[in-house]
Amino acid sequence: MQFHPHTVQMRTSTALGPVRLAASPAGLVGVWFEGQRHEPSQRLHGPTAWADTANHPVLEEASHQLQQYLAGQRAGFDLPLDLSGGTPFQQAVWRALLAIGRGATTSYGALSRQLGRPLAVRAVGAAVGRNPISVVVPCHRVVGADGSLTGYAGGLDRKAVLLTLENALPSTSPNAPNSSRKGHA
């Protein structure tokens, strides 16, 4: 991924663990749980890390909205997003994720068909897995064709918590014996 050279970051604590938030001059570019797969580790930690800031309006608002969301006090996000770090294909997948409503799920196959790329299920899955703006761009709403919880870079336990919060945990999931299936596969 390519990020704007003037990207900044901040760390915040959430009910699901520590999170790194990052923003470019255009908007929010990252929400990563600590240790999340595909996080830009060199840009978050160490000598080449983005500058830490506590006074950035987008990062402060993202932290506030994320806290509210995880507490069940907010149904969605109202933040400027900068998806430009991904390839055109990744950006298309991430925009499609934004269209999956709260309380709904979709499958990787359905998402690839929606994008007009029915044979690109693996490529769609890879793009979903590399979504840099976890929770806000709801990649956790993508499940296996049978409703199983698969492929969340932040961890399947977090995915189950997020879907439970949204009343969207598929009934076929072993974590949800009494849930009703929502969305489509």
Side-chain angles (χ1 to χ4, degrees):
M1 292 202 52
Q2 297 293 319
F3 293 97
H4 191 280
H6 297 295
T7 298
V8 294
Q9 68 168 320
M10 73 176 268
R11 185 177 186 271
T12 190
S13 296
T14 74
L16 295 179
V19 170
R20 293 280 181 159
L21 304 168
S24 74
L28 189 67
V29 297
V31 176
W32 296 280
F33 291 104
E34 193 168 275
Q36 180 171 321
R37 278 184 313 205
H38 310 300
E39 71 176 12
S41 298
Q42 293 180 346
R43 304 306 290 159
L44 297 175
H45 317 283
T48 61
W50 294 313
D52 273 305
T53 183
N55 298 330
H56 190 281
V58 171
L59 296 178
E60 287 178 354
E61 186 60 24
S63 176
H64 179 70
Q65 289 187 25
L66 186 59
Q67 301 293 341
Q68 288 179 320
Y69 190 82
L70 295 175
Q73 300 167 343
R74 169 179 280 280
F77 297 90
D78 182 22
L79 298 163
L81 303 179
D82 180 357
L83 302 175
S84 66
T87 66
F89 178 76
Q90 288 172 324
Q91 291 177 48
V93 171
W94 300 336
R95 281 191 299 275
L97 293 174
L98 289 166
I100 305 168
R102 180 183 172 97
T105 59
T106 192
S107 69
Y108 296 94
L111 192 59
S112 66
R113 289 188 297 276
Q114 176 188 336
L115 290 164
R117 305 280 303 268
L119 300 178
V121 176
R122 286 181 185 231
V124 166
V128 169
R130 284 175 175 73
N131 166 31
I133 310 177
S134 295
V135 185
V136 176
V137 176
C139 54
H140 60 278
R141 296 179 185 156
V142 183
V143 297
D146 63 355
S148 60
L149 301 188
T150 61
Y152 189 59
L156 292 182
D157 290 345
R158 286 189 183 111
K159 184 172 188 162
V161 169
L162 290 165
L163 291 174
T164 299
L165 175 70
E166 298 175 356
N167 292 319
L169 192 64
S171 61
T172 56
S173 167
N175 298 330
N178 299 320
S179 296
S180 63
R181 171 93 187 200
K182 295 188 177 190
H184 58 280

